[in-house]
Amino acid sequence: MNQLTSKQYISIVVFIFFTSKLVTMPTLVFSAAGKDAIVSVLLNCLIEFVTILLITAVIKKYPNKTLLEVLKPKIGILSYLIYAVLILFLIARIVYCFQELYSFFLETLYDELNPYIFIGTALIVCVFFAFKKVNVIGRTCEILIWLILIGTILSLLSNLEYTDFTQNMPYFEDGLTPTVLGCKDSLFLFGTSAALLLLLGKVKISPHFMQNTSIISAICVTFCTLSCLIFYATFGQAMQYVLFSLSEYSQFDPYILELQRLIWLSAVIDISKLFC
């Protein structure tokens, strides 16, 4: 049946939290908010958390209706406009992910990469998944999420001894303006949860569906915020020059830099996350 189990839905929610969040987002926020960047990250994560819970509540309320079937009786033809805007936003979000991925390839893996070869390969993957049923995509995320989580944790632990959690303190020296700018400049990266609206009518609702989604989402907010805090505490003011947070963090070692200890692991993790 072309439906997601509740566990597969939650796996997609986890992917939404981690896609781009540990790649270029920490640097983008730091460039706008400076030392207060971690507060901006936390606020945007909380906004996404609330968005996910609201959409999940709608999915639970209308288990057998699609987004259009829910909207059309209420707002009529405007439902198609909302649907079109949602699709355009998600396309823009996917293009941004692929731009990140292409830059990541050039920065980390290749000296040169023909953009047409990259686009062609990426489209093959996209078309392949587009022809698969939604439960196949859910199952893929359900399997990969554990590998990505374990790899991410290992990468974060690799240089934890060089982390100084006090170097960006005190916060709010310039008031709330940097925090607001950081939120505004990165909000686009936290809008991927809107994609969950397309899963209306495609999720099998379990008895503890809402509760489990809330708990896992709260854990994701905590993990994402702590990860960014580690990046900021490790790189300090140099964070504004970091292109890919996780991969550059995993090779950060002021004494044995040439070993680049876990760059291969973070590369695989980042590539997998961005494609998913």
Side-chain angles (χ1 to χ4, degrees):
M1 184 179 291
N2 188 21
Q3 275 193 315
L4 295 167
T5 65
S6 294
K7 287 183 178 179
Q8 290 171 349
Y9 172 82
I10 292 174
S11 296
I12 292 175
V13 168
V14 175
F15 263 104
I16 285 174
F17 266 105
F18 283 97
T19 303
S20 290
K21 301 296 192 304
L22 304 183
V23 185
T24 60
M25 182 275 291
T27 301
L28 179 64
V29 178
F30 193 88
S31 298
K35 294 195 300 181
D36 298 333
I38 190 61
V39 184
S40 299
V41 170
L42 176 59
L43 289 176
N44 275 347
C45 279
L46 290 175
I47 291 172
E48 186 159 55
F49 173 75
V50 172
T51 303
I52 287 174
L53 293 192
L54 290 174
I55 295 175
T56 303
V58 174
I59 291 174
K60 183 180 179 181
K61 184 177 181 180
Y62 301 101
N64 300 311
K65 291 186 177 182
T66 65
L67 178 60
L68 282 177
E69 289 171 342
V70 171
L71 292 177
K72 198 170 181 180
K74 295 177 172 60
I75 58 175
I77 197 171
L78 284 177
S79 59
Y80 293 101
L81 177 61
I82 293 174
Y83 196 84
V85 170
L86 174 62
I87 295 299
L88 288 174
F89 170 78
L90 293 177
I91 289 174
R93 191 67 184 84
I94 291 169
V95 169
Y96 185 90
C97 276
F98 281 149
Q99 180 272 326
E100 279 188 311
L101 190 56
Y102 179 70
S103 299
F104 182 83
F105 279 143
L106 288 178
E107 177 71 19
T108 308
L109 300 177
Y110 303 109
D111 292 328
E112 293 183 8
L113 178 61
N114 189 309
Y116 297 107
I117 294 177
F118 170 79
I119 292 171
T121 305
L123 285 176
I124 289 173
V125 177
C126 285
V127 170
F128 174 79
F129 270 106
F131 278 98
K132 294 296 180 181
K133 295 182 179 179
V134 69
N135 60 322
V136 175
I137 298 173
R139 182 57 180 159
T140 301
C141 291
E142 192 177 24
I143 293 171
L144 287 181
I145 191 60
W146 295 106
L147 300 174
I148 290 175
L149 282 175
I150 291 171
T152 301
I153 292 171
L154 286 175
S155 296
L156 288 172
L157 292 176
S158 65
N159 289 302
L160 205 56
E161 65 267 32
Y162 304 115
T163 300
D164 177 10
F165 290 102
T166 65
Q167 71 170 311
N168 286 320
M169 293 183 179
Y171 300 124
F172 306 118
E173 282 188 306
D174 299 316
L176 294 175
T177 302
T179 301
V180 173
L181 288 175
C183 289
K184 178 179 68 68
D185 289 358
S186 60
L187 194 58
F188 173 73
L189 300 181
F190 290 83
T192 317
S193 52
L196 296 175
L197 288 168
L198 298 179
L199 298 181
L200 261 74
K202 297 183 180 295
V203 182
K204 297 177 184 177
I205 308 300
S206 66
H208 302 290
F209 175 62
M210 193 71 196
Q211 178 182 352
N212 292 340
T213 303
S214 302
I215 292 172
I216 297 300
S217 297
I219 293 173
C220 288
V221 168
T222 303
F223 187 85
C224 182
T225 305
L226 285 177
S227 298
C228 290
L229 181 62
I230 290 172
F231 294 148
Y232 297 147
T234 300
F235 290 105
Q237 291 299 312
M239 187 70 207
Q240 56 190 311
Y241 306 111
V242 174
L243 294 178
F244 303 99
S245 303
L246 186 61
S247 62
E248 295 190 38
Y249 169 84
S250 67
Q251 60 180 309
F252 177 84
D253 188 328
Y255 304 107
I256 323 175
L257 180 61
E258 64 273 12
L259 292 182
Q260 296 187 357
R261 292 183 289 177
L262 287 175
I263 188 172
W264 61 270
L265 178 59
S266 60
V268 172
I269 293 169
D270 283 346
I271 292 169
S272 301
K273 283 193 302 183
L274 289 171
F275 262 113
C276 287

